C-alpha cells in the first residue's frame, strides 16, 4: 500500500534513536527472549550482589557507650516477674489485675502511668475506606463493654530533654493467659525502664506500652496509636471507658489504694515517636549454644523501616551481647536441589573469575548463597503479600520506624541464674538501642527505605533489585509495538474485501480491543468489590463464601461478555494481545511503585504468559500445551497454591486457607489485593480470550 | 654703604635662620624617627587567639572539647580572656544527652572539666557562621558588636587561629549548612595583612584534609599547621564509653600533650611542636607550611632563614608577651628568639615603608634594594616628607623654632654691634 511504501521510503531519513527503536521492534522476539532470561538470571544473582550493611547515620553511634544496666535493675525485674506469676494473682481476675500490677510497678519506678482502654475492631472489609487511615473506621463501630481491653502506658520524661520526641517500647502480653515468654519480655522491659528512670542522658521521652493482646497484638498497638495521634476534645473516648469501668467491676482491690493517686485515665502523650521496638521472647528455646535474636521488619504493603534501625539492632546484638541475629527465611528452600546447584555454579564461576583476575571477587560460597536466597524469598514474599509481620506494622502507618525484636533463649532457660543472664542480655541490648536512638537528631532518613534483606547484615538496595524487574518488563512495550505494527501492516490486505468505508479509521482500530479490555478491567473492579456484599450474608462458611464469590464473578463476566460484541474481525487477536500487553505493562509499572515485591512476583508469572499467548488454532500443539500450563499457573488462586506447595508452607485445607489468606489481605488494606483483582485477574481472562479466539 | 651693609646683614640673617631651622629639624628628625619606630609596633606587642569549633550536634562533642582544651592551654600559657575570641557552634555541656550536665571532658578519665567557671564564649550556637568568622578576622563589624567580640589586634600582634570541625578538599563545614572555602580564608588573611591586623599568624586546623585549606594562602607572615594531607582523614583519639562519644581528636590530643609539658616560661619552638607529631599515632600526616613566613623573613633582609621559621618559639603564638617572660628565659642560654626579635624590629620598618609607598609586594628583595639604590635623594625626600607628615609633636617644633629665633636675634645684634 501507499502508506507502507511511504514508511519504507522514509526509513533512512529517520533519526538514529528512531532507527534503533524500529530495529528493536523488528527483532522483538529475540529482545523479549534475551530480556526475560536476563531478568530471571538477575533475580537469581541478587544474593551475590548483596552488599554489607553499615550504619549510615553518624549520630547513632551504636555501642559507643557501655551498658549501665545493673544488678539492681535486674533483681527488680526478677521480683516483678515473680509477682506476675505468683499464684496469689491467679485467683484474681487476671484481665483486670495484671494491668493494675504493671501500672503500680511503673509508677513505683517513677514513670507517669495511665491506662488506655480500647475496643477491638472486627476486621471488616470496607472498600470505600480502602486506602484511608484506620481512623475513618473508628466511628463506625458500636461500643460494647465486653470487648474492652486495657493497655498500660508508662512514660519517662527526659530530665533535660525538650519533650518533643519519644522512643516507644512495646511488650505485648495476654492478661487472660500469661505465658512464661511474655513474663520474660515484660521483665526485660521492666529492667530497662527501671534503668532509664535513673539516667541523666535521656533526650527523648521513653514510653513503655504494655499492650493487652487478648484481642490480637496488632489491634492493641494500633488502637493506642490511633488515640495517640487523634487527640479527642471533650473526652468522647473517655466517656465510654468510664461507662465500662463500673461494669467491669474494678474496685475493692488492695492495689487500688496505691495506684489511684498516680494513675489517671487521661491519655498521656509524649512527643513524636522517633522509633519503636516491640520486645518479644520466643516461646520455644533455640537449639545451639547461643541466645539468638530474630528481627521482623515488614510492615503493611511491603513498607520497611529505615535500614539503619536494623543495622543498629543487629550491630549491638552481635558485637554487644553476642547474640546470633537472624532474619526470617524459608527453611524449606535450604535443602532444595536446584538452588544448591545454582549456588555451586555461581561459586565455580566466581572461582574461575578469581583465577583469571584476583581482583574479581563476586563468588560466594554455596551455603551463603542458599541461605541468602532463602532469606530473600521470604523477604520478597512478606513484602509482596503486604501484611505486617508483627505489631510493629501499626507504627509504620504513622511513618514511625519500628521493628520487632524476638529474643529466643537457648534451651534449659528454667534455672534462676540462666534467667538473670538472659534478662541482662536482653536488657542491655534494648538499653544500647535506646541510647543509640536517643542520640538521633532527626528522623531516620540517612539509610535505605527500599531494600531486601538477604541476611541480617546484607541487603540489596532498590538500585540493584530494580534491574531484574526492569529487564522482565522491558519486552512488554516492544512486543506491543511490534504486534501493533504487524496488525496495521497485514490487516488491510485481509480486510480489503470487507469494507472500504473503515479505511480512514485504520489507525484507530486498536480502540475495539481497548473496549474489550476496558470491560474486563471493569469486571475486575467489580470482582474486587464483591466480598463487601458477600459479607452481608449472615452465617456463612468460608468455603461457601468463596464459592459464591467465584460464581458471582463468572456470572458477571458472562453478562459483560454480551457487551463485548461478537468478534467480527477475525484478525483482531493481534491487536487484542498488543493492548493487553501494554495494559499489563502499565499495571506492573504502577504496582512496582506501590509494592515492588508484588510487581516482581507478578511479572515473573504474567510476563511469560502474556508474551507466549496465541490462539490455539494458530499455534502448534506444543505451544498450546505450554500456554495452557502457563495459564493454569497464572490463575491467582493456582499461583497461591503453587507458591505454597513450592515453599512448603502448608497449614489448613486448601480453599479455607485461601479464603483466610484473601481475608487477611483485606484486613491489612494490602495493595496486593487490588493488584490481583485489577491487573492480574483481567490479564489472565484476556489471555484466555486470546487462547480461545477463533481465527 | 648703609644699604649694602643692611643687605649683607639681611642675607646673612636669612642664611642663619635657614641653617638653624635645618639643624633643629634634623634634631627633631632624630627624635621622631625614634618615636616612629616604636609607634609602628614593629615589635611583637600582643598575642591573640581565635578558637573556632565549627560543628554542631552531639556526636561532634569532640570538636567542642578540642576547642575548649586549646582555650584552656592558651589561657594557661598567658593569653588573657579579653584577647581570646572563642567560637563554639553548639553547647555540648547543656545537651540533654550529656551524662554530666554542664561539664565537658577531653579525656575518659574525667579529671579535667574544660567547662569550668571562667570560660568566656564570645560566639555561640548559631552565631558561629562563616560570615561572623570572616567579620572577626577582618574586623568589619556592625557598630553594635561589643569590643569583647572583636579581634582588636594591631600590626604587632601575633594571632593564633585554631579551627576544628568537619572539612574536605579546600573547605571547612560550618554548622552543617555553610562552608568556609580555602580562598575565603586566604582572602580574609590578605585583608588582615593589608589592614595591618597582624604581624604573624599561625593557622592550626584539625579537620579531614586540613592541608588543602591552606592552598590559597599568599600573605607573608603566615604559618599553617594542618592535621592531615589531602585525601587523608583526621581521626578521633579515643571514645569515652561513659559519655558515649569520642571526646578528642588525635591531632589536638597530641598538640595538647606537647603543651602540657610546657609552662609559661618555656622556650620550645614551633618546629619542635611539629616534629612531635607522629604519623603513626595521628593516623594522618600533619602538614606544616612555612614558606610564607620565610618569604617575609627574606624580604626583611634576613637571608639566614634557618633561624627564622624553624625556631619560632611557640610562645610567639600561644603565650603572653610580657617582657618578664623573656628575661626569665634569658638564662637558658642564647636562643634564636632574641636575635629574631631584633631583626623583626628593623625589618618590619622597611616592609612598612614599602607598604606606605604602595609598591606591590614583589617577592625579590634584591630588586627592592636596587630600586632604592638608584635614587637615594628621592628616597631621602620621601622619607622627610613622610616624617614631616607624621610629626605629631608640633609644640616641640615651635619651641625649637623659638630657641632658634632667639639665638639668631642674639647673634645678629652681637654681630651688628
Amino acid at each position: 500500500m501507499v502508506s507502507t511504501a511511504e514508511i519504507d521510503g522514509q526509513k533512512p531519513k529517520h533519526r538514529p534513536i528512531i532507527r534503533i527503536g524500529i530495529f528493536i521492534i523488528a527483532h522483538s522476539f529475540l529482545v523479549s527472549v534475551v530480556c526475560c532470561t536476563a531478568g530471571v538470571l538477575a533475580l537469581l544473582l541478587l544474593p551475590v550482589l548483596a552488599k554489607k550493611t553499615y550504619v549510615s547515620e553518624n549520630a547513632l553511634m551504636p555501642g559507643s557507650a557501655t551498658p549501665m544496666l545493673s544488678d539492681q535493675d535486674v533483681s527488680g525485674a526478677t521480683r516483678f516477674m515473680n509477682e506476675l506469676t505468683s499464684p496469689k494473682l491467679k485467683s484474681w481476675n487476671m484481665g483486670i489485675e495484671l494491668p493494675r500490677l504493671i501500672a503500680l510497678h511503673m509508677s513505683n519506678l517513677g514513670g507517669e502511668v495511665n491506662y488506655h482502654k480500647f475496643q477491638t475492631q472486627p476486621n471488616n472489609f470496607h472498600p470505600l475506606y480502602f486506602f484511608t487511615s484506620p481512623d475513618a473506621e473508628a466511628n463506625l463501630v458500636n461500643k460494647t463493654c465486653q470487648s474492652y481491653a486495657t493497655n498500660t502506658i508508662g512514660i519517662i520524661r527526659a530530665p533535660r530533654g525538650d519533650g518533643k520526641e519519644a522512643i516507644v517500647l512495646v511488650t505485648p502480653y495476654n492478661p487472660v493467659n500469661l505465658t512464661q515468654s511474655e513474663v520474660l519480655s515484660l521483665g526485660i522491659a521492666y529492667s530497662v525502664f527501671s534503668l532509664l528512670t535513673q539516667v541523666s542522658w535521656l533526650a527523648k521521652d521513653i514510653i513503655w506500652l504494655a499492650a493487652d493482646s487478648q484481642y490480637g497484638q496488632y489491634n492493641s498497638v494500633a488502637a493506642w496509636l490511633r488515640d495517640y495521634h487523634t487527640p479527642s476534645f471533650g473526652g468522647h473516648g473517655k466517656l465510654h471507658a468510664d461507662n465500662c469501668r463500673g461494669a467491669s467491676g474494678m474496685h475493692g482491690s488492695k492495689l487500688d489504694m496505691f495506684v489511684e493517686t498516680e494513675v489517671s485515665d487521661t491519655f498521656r502523650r509524649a512527643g513524636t515517636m522517633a522509633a519503636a521496638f516491640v520486645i518479644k521472647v520466643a516461646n520455644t528455646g533455640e537449639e545451639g549454644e547461643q541466645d539468638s535474636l530474630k528481627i521482623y521488619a515488614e510492615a503493611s504493603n511491603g513498607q520497611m523501616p529505615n535500614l539503619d534501625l536494623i543495622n543498629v539492632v543487629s550491630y549491638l546484638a552481635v558485637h554487644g551481647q553476642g547474640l546470633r541475629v537472624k532474619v526470617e527465611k524459608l527453611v524449606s528452600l535450604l535443602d532444595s536441589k536446584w538452588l544448591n546447584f545454582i549456588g555451586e555454579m555461581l561459586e565455580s564461576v566466581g572461582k574461575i573469575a578469581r583465577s583469571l583476575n584476583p581482583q574479581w571477587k563476586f563468588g560466594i560460597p554455596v551455603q551463603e548463597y542458599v541461605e541468602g536466597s532463602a532469606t530473600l524469598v521470604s523477604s520478597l514474599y512478606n513484602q509482596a503479600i503486604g501484611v505486617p509481620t508483627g505489631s510493629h506494622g501499626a507504627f509504620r502507618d504513622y511513618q514511625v520506624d519500628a521493628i520487632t525484636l524476638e529474643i529466643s533463649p537457648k534451651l534449659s532457660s528454667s534455672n534462676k541464674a540462666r534467667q538473670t543472664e538472659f534478662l541482662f542480655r536482653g536488657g542491655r541490648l534494648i538499653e544500647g538501642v535506646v541510647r543509640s536512638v536517643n542520640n538521633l537528631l532527626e528522623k531516620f532518613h540517612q539509610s535505605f527505605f527500599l531494600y531486601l534483606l538477604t541476611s541480617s547484615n546484607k541487603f540489596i538496595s532498590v538500585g540493584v533489585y530494580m534491574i531484574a524487574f526492569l529487564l522482565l518488563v522491558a519486552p512488554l512495550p516492544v512486543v506491543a509495538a511490534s504486534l501493533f505494527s504487524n496488525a496495521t501492516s497485514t490487516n488491510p490486505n485481509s480486510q480489503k474485501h470487507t469494507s472500504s468505508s473503515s479505511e480512514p479509521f485504520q489507525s484507530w482500530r486498536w480502540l475495539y480491543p481497548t473496549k474489550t479490555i476496558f470491560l474486563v478491567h471493569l469486571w475486575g473492579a467489580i470482582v474486587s468489590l464483591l466480598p463487601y456484599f458477600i459479607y452481608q450474608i449472615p452465617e456463612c462458611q468460608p468455603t461457601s463464601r468463596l464459592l459464591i464469590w467465584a460464581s458471582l464473578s463468572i456470572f458477571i463476566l458472562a453478562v459483560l461478555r454480551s457487551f463485548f460484541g461478537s468478534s467480527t474481525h477475525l484478525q483482531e487477536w493481534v491487536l487484542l494481545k498488543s493492548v493487553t500487553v501494554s495494559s499489563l505493562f502499565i499495571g506492573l509499572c504502577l504496582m512496582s511503585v506501590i509494592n515492588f515485591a508484588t510487581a516482581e512476583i507478578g511479572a515473573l508469572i504474567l510476563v511469560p504468559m502474556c508474551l507466549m499467548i496465541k490462539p490455539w488454532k494458530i499455534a502448534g500443539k506444543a505451544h498450546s500445551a505450554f500456554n495452557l500450563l502457563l495459564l493454569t499457573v497464572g490463575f491467582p488462586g493456582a499461583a497461591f497454591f503453587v507458591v505454597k506447595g513450592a515453599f512448603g508452607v502448608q497449614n489448613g485445607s486448601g480453599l479455607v486457607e485461601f479464603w483466610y489468606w484473601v481475608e487477611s489481605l483485606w484486613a491489612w488494606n494490602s495493595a496486593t489485593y487490588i493488584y490481583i483483582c485489577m491487573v492480574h485477574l483481567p490479564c489472565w481472562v484476556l489471555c484466555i480470550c486470546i487462547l480461545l479466539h477463533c481465527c | 654703604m648703609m644699604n649694602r651693609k643692611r643687605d649683607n646683614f639681611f642675607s646673612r640673617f636669612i642664611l642663619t635662620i635657614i641653617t638653624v631651622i635645618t639643624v633643629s629639624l634634623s634634631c627633631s628628625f632624630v627624635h621622631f624617627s625614634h618615636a616612629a619606630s616604636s609607634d609602628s609596633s614593629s615589635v611583637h606587642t600582643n598575642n591573640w587567639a581565635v578558637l573556632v569549633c565549627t560543628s554542631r550536634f552531639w556526636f561532634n562533642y569532640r570538636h567542642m572539647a578540642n576547642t575548649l582544651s586549646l582555650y584552656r592551654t592558651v589561657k594557661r600559657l598567658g593569653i588573657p580572656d579579653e584577647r581570646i575570641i572563642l567560637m563554639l557552634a553548639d553547647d555540648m555541656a547543656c545537651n540533654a544527652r550529656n551524662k554530666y550536665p554542664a561539664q565537658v571532658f577531653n579525656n575518659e578519665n574525667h579529671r579535667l572539666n574544660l567547662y569550668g567557671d571562667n570560660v568566656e564564649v564570645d560566639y555561640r550556637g548559631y552565631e558561629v557562621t562563616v560570615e561572623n568568622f570572616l567579620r572577626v578576622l577582618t574586623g568589619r563589624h556592625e557598630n553594635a558588636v561589643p569590643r569583647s567580640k572583636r579581634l582588636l589586634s594591631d600590626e604587632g600582634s601575633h594571632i593564633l587561629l585554631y579551627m576544628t570541625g568537619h572539612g574536605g578538599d579546600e573547605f571547612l563545614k560550618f554548622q552543617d549548612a555553610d562552608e568556609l572555602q580555602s580562598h575565603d580564608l586566604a582572602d580574609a588573611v590578605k585583608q588582615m595583612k593589608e589592614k595591618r591586623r597582624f604581624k604573624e599568624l599561625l593557622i592550626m586546623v584539625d579537620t579531614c584534609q586540613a592541608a588543602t585549606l591552606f592552598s590559597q594562602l599568599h600573605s607573608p607572615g603566615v604559618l599553617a599547621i594542618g592535621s592531615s594531607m589531602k585525601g587523608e582523614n583526621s581521626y578521633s583519639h579515643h571514645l569515652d564509653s561513659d559519655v558515649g562519644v569520642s571526646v578528642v581528636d588525635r591531632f589536638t590530643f597530641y598538640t595538647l600533650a606537647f603543651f602540657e609539658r610546657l609552662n609559661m616560661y618555656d622556650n620550645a619552638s614551633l618546629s619542635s611542636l611539629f616534629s612531635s607529631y607522629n604519623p603513626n599515632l595521628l593516623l594522618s600526616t600533619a602538614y606544616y607550611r612555612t614558606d610564607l613566613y620565610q618569604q617575609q623573613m627574606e624580604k626583611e633582609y634576613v637571608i639566614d632563614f634557618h633561624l627564622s621559621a624553624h625556631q619560632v618559639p611557640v610562645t610567639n603564638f600561644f603565650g603572653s608577651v610580657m617582657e618578664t617572660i623573656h628575661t626569665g628565659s634569658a638564662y637558658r642560654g642564647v636562643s634564636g628568639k632574641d636575635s629574631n626579635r631584633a631583626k623583626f624590629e628593623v625589618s618590619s620598618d622597611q616592609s612598612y615603608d614599602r607598604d606606605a609607598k604602595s609598591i606591590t609586594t614583589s617577592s625579590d628583595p634584591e630588586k627592592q634594594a636596587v630600586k632604592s639604590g638608584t635614587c637615594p635623594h628621592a628616597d631621602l625626600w620621601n622619607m622627610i616628607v613622610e616624617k614631616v607628615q607624621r610629626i605629631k609633636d608640633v609644640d616641640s617644633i615651635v619651641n625649637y623654632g623659638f630657641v632658634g629665633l632667639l639665638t639668631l636675634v642674639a647673634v645678629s645684634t652681637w654681630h651688628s654691634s
Side-chain angles (χ1 to χ4, degrees):
Chain A
M1 284 300 290
V2 183
S3 58
T4 51
E6 261 177 24
I7 288 167
D8 287 335
Q10 281 171 355
K11 237 178 195 172
K13 291 175 197 166
H14 284 317
R15 286 190 303 169
I17 183 96
I18 295 172
R19 263 183 283 159
I20 291 171
I22 290 170
F23 179 79
I24 289 174
I25 289 167
H27 298 84
S28 65
F29 178 74
L30 192 68
V31 168
S32 47
V33 168
V34 168
C35 280
C36 282
T37 323
V40 175
L41 272 182
L43 193 63
L44 289 173
L45 272 176
L46 283 184
V48 183
L49 299 173
K51 282 187 285 186
K52 279 247 170 210
T53 54
Y54 54 93
V55 176
S56 179
E57 170 69 81
N58 280 330
L60 284 170
M61 299 185 291
S64 60
T66 44
M68 295 158 70
L69 196 78
S70 63
D71 281 328
Q72 197 193 339
D73 302 316
V74 170
S75 60
T78 317
R79 253 178 282 125
F80 169 65
M81 285 161 62
N82 288 341
E83 273 191 55
L84 284 182
T85 49
S86 70
K88 191 188 88 185
L89 203 67
K90 287 257 161 56
S91 61
W92 291 90
N93 185 354
M94 290 276 279
I96 295 155
E97 272 321 306
L98 267 184
R100 201 158 276 276
L101 183 70
I102 294 170
L104 173 74
H105 279 273
M106 278 176 178
S107 65
N108 280 350
L109 285 175
E112 292 177 15
V113 188
N114 75 293
Y115 297 122
H116 168 245
K117 294 188 186 59
F118 66 97
Q119 201 180 29
T120 56
Q121 291 185 0
N123 288 332
N124 277 343
F125 179 57
H126 298 288
L128 295 181
Y129 299 108
F130 202 82
F131 276 122
T132 56
S133 64
D135 327 334
E137 299 170 35
N139 296 327
L140 300 174
V141 188
N142 61 332
K143 314 226 171 192
T144 53
C145 290
Q146 269 67 37
S147 55
Y148 268 103
T150 311
N151 289 332
T152 317
I153 296 109
I155 298 179
I156 306 171
R157 304 284 174 194
R160 284 175 298 130
D162 51 8
K164 286 177 183 163
E165 285 185 301
I167 301 170
V168 187
L169 304 175
V170 183
T171 48
Y173 72 102
N174 186 351
V176 179
N177 180 20
L178 195 67
T179 62
Q180 182 58 30
S181 58
E182 283 167 349
V183 171
L184 266 174
S185 70
L186 282 170
I188 290 174
Y190 179 92
S191 65
V192 175
F193 199 77
S194 150
L195 170 77
L196 293 179
T197 47
Q198 298 154 30
V199 296
S200 58
W201 44 258
L202 278 184
K204 299 184 188 348
D205 299 343
I206 304 292
I207 304 173
W208 176 16
L209 169 66
D212 185 342
S213 64
Q214 56 182 317
Y215 300 114
Q217 293 183 2
Y218 183 92
N219 284 336
S220 54
V221 178
W224 177 72
L225 277 170
R226 193 167 50 237
D227 287 354
Y228 192 94
H229 287 97
T230 48
S232 61
F233 302 103
H236 175 72
K238 204 183 153 201
L239 203 74
H240 283 280
D242 281 343
N243 285 344
C244 295
R245 201 169 178 195
S248 55
M250 288 202 349
H251 44 72
S253 102
K254 240 191 285 176
L255 293 171
D256 238 1
M257 317 287 275
F258 299 106
V259 183
E260 202 78 43
T261 48
E262 286 122 0
V263 181
S264 65
D265 269 330
T266 54
F267 196 90
R268 288 185 195 276
R269 288 184 176 81
T272 45
M273 296 167 199
F277 304 96
V278 181
I279 304 161
K280 287 170 80 176
V281 175
N283 270 325
T284 51
E286 275 288 319
E287 303 263 351
E289 68 279 15
Q290 275 177 304
D291 295 342
S292 66
L293 171 74
K294 205 164 181 181
I295 298 175
Y296 296 93
E298 287 88 0
S300 59
N301 278 326
Q303 298 180 84
M304 299 290 277
N306 197 285
L307 187 56
D308 265 344
L309 193 63
I310 295 175
N311 291 343
V312 166
V313 171
S314 65
Y315 177 89
L316 284 171
V318 172
H319 295 95
Q321 305 307 321
L323 296 169
R324 210 150 43 86
V325 181
K326 296 185 298 185
V327 188
E328 200 178 10
K329 61 186 167 209
L330 271 176
V331 188
S332 55
L333 265 186
L334 291 180
D335 306 326
S336 78
K337 292 240 169 58
W338 58 274
L339 206 56
N340 274 300
F341 174 70
I342 294 169
E344 275 162 25
M345 289 274 288
L346 287 172
E347 192 185 5
S348 54
V349 166
K351 270 180 190 161
I352 293 166
R354 206 170 305 158
S355 66
L356 291 176
N357 185 348
Q359 282 175 352
W360 293 344
K361 290 175 188 163
F362 56 79
I364 57 168
V366 183
Q367 189 62 29
E368 206 180 318
Y369 176 80
V370 173
E371 288 204 357
S373 314
T375 317
L376 180 69
V377 167
S378 152
S379 183
L380 264 177
Y381 174 77
N382 279 330
Q383 289 190 22
I385 59 168
V387 174
T389 47
S391 44
H392 58 267
F395 287 95
R396 193 65 230 171
D397 296 340
Y398 298 90
Q399 305 305 314
V400 178
D401 293 287
I403 53 172
T404 295
L405 313 173
E406 193 184 71
I407 312 170
S408 33
K410 64 186 176 195
L411 286 174
S412 77
S413 63
S414 52
N415 72 57
K416 192 90 179 169
R418 179 73 197 96
Q419 181 184 306
T420 312
E421 191 203 332
F422 181 75
L423 280 179
F424 259 114
R425 280 243 170 103
R428 284 187 167 157
L429 172 67
I430 304 297
E431 183 208 337
V433 173
V434 165
R435 188 150 191 190
S436 178
V437 173
N438 182 52
N439 285 338
L440 206 62
L441 301 149
E442 295 154 305
K443 264 177 80 85
F444 279 103
H445 67 281
Q446 283 282 352
S447 199
F448 295 91
F449 283 100
L450 301 169
Y451 56 90
L452 296 165
L453 287 175
T454 61
S455 79
S456 63
N457 60 354
K458 280 195 159 187
F459 75 105
I460 306 161
S461 76
V462 59
V464 176
Y465 69 58
M466 274 309 267
I467 294 171
F469 175 73
L470 287 180
L471 281 171
L472 269 178
V473 297
L476 293 179
V478 174
V479 166
S482 113
L483 285 174
F484 183 72
S485 69
N486 280 349
T488 46
S489 61
T490 56
N491 272 7
N493 296 328
S494 62
Q495 279 197 333
K496 221 192 288 180
H497 58 278
T498 52
S499 65
S500 58
S501 61
S502 65
E503 293 240 337
F505 302 104
Q506 277 303 317
S507 56
W508 293 98
R509 281 192 312 125
W510 59 272
L511 278 175
Y512 298 111
T514 306
K515 191 185 81 180
T516 314
I517 281 169
F518 173 72
L519 285 173
V520 172
H521 279 268
L522 185 70
W523 170 75
I526 293 170
V527 167
S528 72
L529 293 182
L530 278 179
Y532 177 66
F533 302 103
I534 295 171
Y535 265 117
Q536 308 299 322
I537 305 166
E539 308 277 327
C540 211
Q541 292 301 310
T543 320
S544 52
R545 275 186 177 163
L546 191 64
L547 290 177
I548 293 171
W549 191 23
S551 48
L552 264 180
S553 305
I554 292 166
F555 171 71
I556 291 167
L557 185 65
V559 169
L560 280 173
R561 172 132 179 96
S562 59
F563 292 110
F564 284 13
S566 54
S567 50
T568 49
H569 312 294
L570 297 181
Q571 284 289 326
E572 285 301 276
W573 74 267
V574 181
L575 277 179
L576 185 63
K577 182 176 171 183
S578 162
V579 181
T580 307
V581 164
S582 34
S583 76
L584 174 68
F585 178 69
I586 294 167
L588 283 178
C589 285
L590 281 178
M591 194 58 207
S592 76
V593 177
I594 299 165
N595 188 345
F596 169 79
T598 313
E600 172 76 51
I601 293 175
L604 270 179
I605 297 169
L606 284 183
V607 168
M609 183 173 91
C610 281
L611 292 181
M612 299 283 287
I613 202 75
K614 238 180 184 184
W616 62 278
K617 282 186 180 169
I618 293 175
K621 269 183 186 165
H623 192 164
S624 297
F626 191 64
N627 276 341
L628 215 59
L629 177 73
L630 282 178
L631 275 173
T632 328
V633 174
F635 180 65
F640 170 76
F641 287 116
V642 166
V643 167
K644 287 263 163 178
F647 301 141
V649 198
Q650 220 101 42
N651 43 352
S653 72
L655 288 179
V656 178
E657 195 191 349
F658 181 65
W659 178 257
Y660 283 134
W661 184 71
V662 176
E663 217 171 27
S664 75
L665 291 187
W666 301 323
W668 301 105
N669 286 354
S670 172
T672 308
Y673 176 69
I674 302 276
Y675 162 80
I676 288 175
C677 289
M678 312 260 283
V679 179
H680 200 119
L681 200 60
C683 197
W684 183 80
V685 169
L686 286 167
C687 281
I688 295 233
C689 279
I690 294 167
L691 186 76
L692 300 179
H693 204 283
C694 42
C695 316
Chain B
M1 283 290 278
M2 273 299 277
N3 268 350
R4 180 181 271 193
K5 209 176 181 178
R6 200 163 278 178
D7 273 352
N8 206 1
F9 165 69
F10 260 106
S11 62
R12 242 183 290 165
F13 179 61
I14 286 166
L15 199 108
T16 347
I17 284 180
I18 288 172
T19 43
V20 165
I21 286 176
T22 326
V23 166
S24 65
L25 270 179
S26 63
C27 280
S28 66
F29 273 149
V30 174
H31 175 79
F32 284 122
S33 70
H34 186 73
S37 73
S38 62
D39 254 21
S40 70
S41 309
S42 59
V43 283
H44 176 191
T45 50
N46 51 25
N47 271 354
W48 284 80
V50 180
L51 311 174
V52 193
C53 157
T54 65
S55 43
R56 289 189 77 71
F57 306 138
W58 172 243
F59 61 93
N60 292 321
Y61 183 98
R62 62 182 188 281
H63 293 149
M64 183 172 163
N66 286 345
T67 315
L68 282 174
S69 325
L70 224 78
Y71 171 78
R72 183 184 159 277
T73 303
V74 295
K75 258 175 98 170
R76 186 175 66 83
L77 291 175
I79 303 184
D81 243 338
E82 63 261 25
R83 292 210 179 125
I84 302 176
I85 309 288
L86 181 59
M87 304 174 96
L88 298 177
D90 203 348
D91 190 359
M92 300 308 168
C94 299
N95 194 304
R97 295 166 184 85
N98 193 352
K99 193 182 168 187
Y100 301 95
Q103 296 181 62
V104 175
F105 300 104
N106 67 354
N107 200 312
E108 61 180 341
N109 61 21
H110 295 174
R111 248 183 258 147
L112 178 66
N113 175 21
L114 298 167
Y115 210 67
D117 292 332
N118 46 3
V119 174
E120 281 182 23
V121 186
D122 298 295
Y123 290 83
R124 66 168 72 241
Y126 288 110
E127 286 179 346
V128 183
T129 55
V130 174
E131 185 192 334
N132 277 344
F133 173 71
L134 294 178
R135 281 184 188 280
V136 165
L137 288 190
T138 55
R140 299 180 177 189
H141 290 285
E142 283 173 25
N143 291 333
V145 175
R147 279 175 69 86
S148 64
K149 293 175 106 173
R150 295 177 186 231
L151 179 69
L152 299 167
S153 58
D154 53 39
E155 57 194 303
S157 302
H158 287 186
I159 301 178
L160 166 71
L161 171 57
Y162 173 85
M163 291 187 280
T164 181
H166 289 287
D169 194 358
E170 306 220 350
F171 71 89
L172 172 62
K173 208 165 80 167
F174 269 66
Q175 295 273 6
D176 217 32
D178 287 353
E179 60 186 34
L180 174 81
Q181 298 199 344
S182 58
H183 60 79
D184 297 332
L185 180 67
D187 184 52
V189 171
K190 197 171 179 182
Q191 285 188 48
M192 287 170 80
K193 187 76 204 174
E194 277 170 8
K195 292 172 132 186
R196 290 174 214 139
R197 288 172 63 76
F198 70 87
K199 181 166 163 329
E200 289 171 23
L201 173 65
L202 171 64
I203 307 179
M204 247 184 151
V205 178
D206 189 351
T207 72
C208 297
Q209 313 195 35
T212 58
L213 204 61
F214 309 137
S215 60
Q216 310 279 331
L217 289 175
H218 292 298
S219 310
V222 178
L223 283 165
I225 298 182
S227 60
S228 52
M229 305 290 282
K230 184 174 178 174
E232 285 183 340
N233 287 337
S234 294
Y235 291 100
S236 62
H237 184 261
H238 68 271
L239 182 94
D240 183 342
S241 55
D242 203 17
V243 183
V245 283
S246 303
V247 284
V248 68
D249 277 316
R250 283 176 181 267
F251 175 77
T252 307
F253 181 85
Y254 290 109
T255 308
L256 295 172
F258 176 82
F259 281 112
E260 281 307 302
R261 295 196 296 271
L262 298 185
N263 63 26
M264 216 186 253
Y265 308 105
D266 265 320
N267 204 18
S269 69
L270 267 184
S271 59
S272 68
L273 165 65
F274 182 70
S275 56
S276 75
Y277 297 132
N278 180 354
N280 294 330
L281 292 175
L282 285 187
L283 301 180
S284 63
T285 325
Y287 172 81
Y288 189 25
R289 184 169 176 189
T290 55
D291 56 334
L292 294 170
Y293 195 77
Q294 280 160 12
Q295 204 177 322
Q296 191 181 20
M297 295 289 117
E298 281 168 37
K299 266 190 207 161
E300 294 156 3
Y301 74 80
V302 183
I303 293 104
D304 166 31
F305 56 76
H306 286 290
L307 274 175
S308 56
H310 285 272
Q311 297 195 9
V312 185
V314 284
T315 43
N316 260 8
F317 296 101
F318 288 90
S320 71
V321 282
M322 288 180 290
E323 282 305 316
T324 48
I325 297 167
H326 300 298
T327 53
S329 64
Y331 291 105
R332 300 203 171 201
V334 182
S335 69
K337 192 177 70 178
D338 290 334
S339 53
N340 271 350
R341 173 175 301 284
K343 280 161 202 157
F344 296 160
E345 277 180 39
V346 183
S347 57
S348 60
D349 249 3
Q350 264 203 351
S351 67
Y352 177 71
D353 280 356
R354 279 200 295 278
D355 285 351
K357 280 180 282 176
S358 71
I359 293 170
T360 50
T361 51
S362 64
S363 55
D364 194 352
E366 284 176 46
K367 211 173 164 187
Q368 290 280 319
V370 170
K371 223 179 191 175
S372 54
T374 46
C375 187
H377 295 292
D379 220 351
L380 183 72
W381 178 243
N382 277 338
M383 213 161 99
I384 290 170
V385 166
E386 195 208 327
K387 298 280 150 109
V388 169
Q389 277 172 347
R390 262 206 281 153
I391 289 168
K392 286 170 195 160
D393 207 351
V394 185
D395 283 7
S396 60
I397 291 182
V398 172
N399 290 341
Y400 281 124
F402 270 121
V403 171
L405 262 177
L406 283 175
T407 44
L408 191 76
V409 167
V411 168
S412 63
T413 45
W414 172 74
H415 196 81
S416 60
S417 64

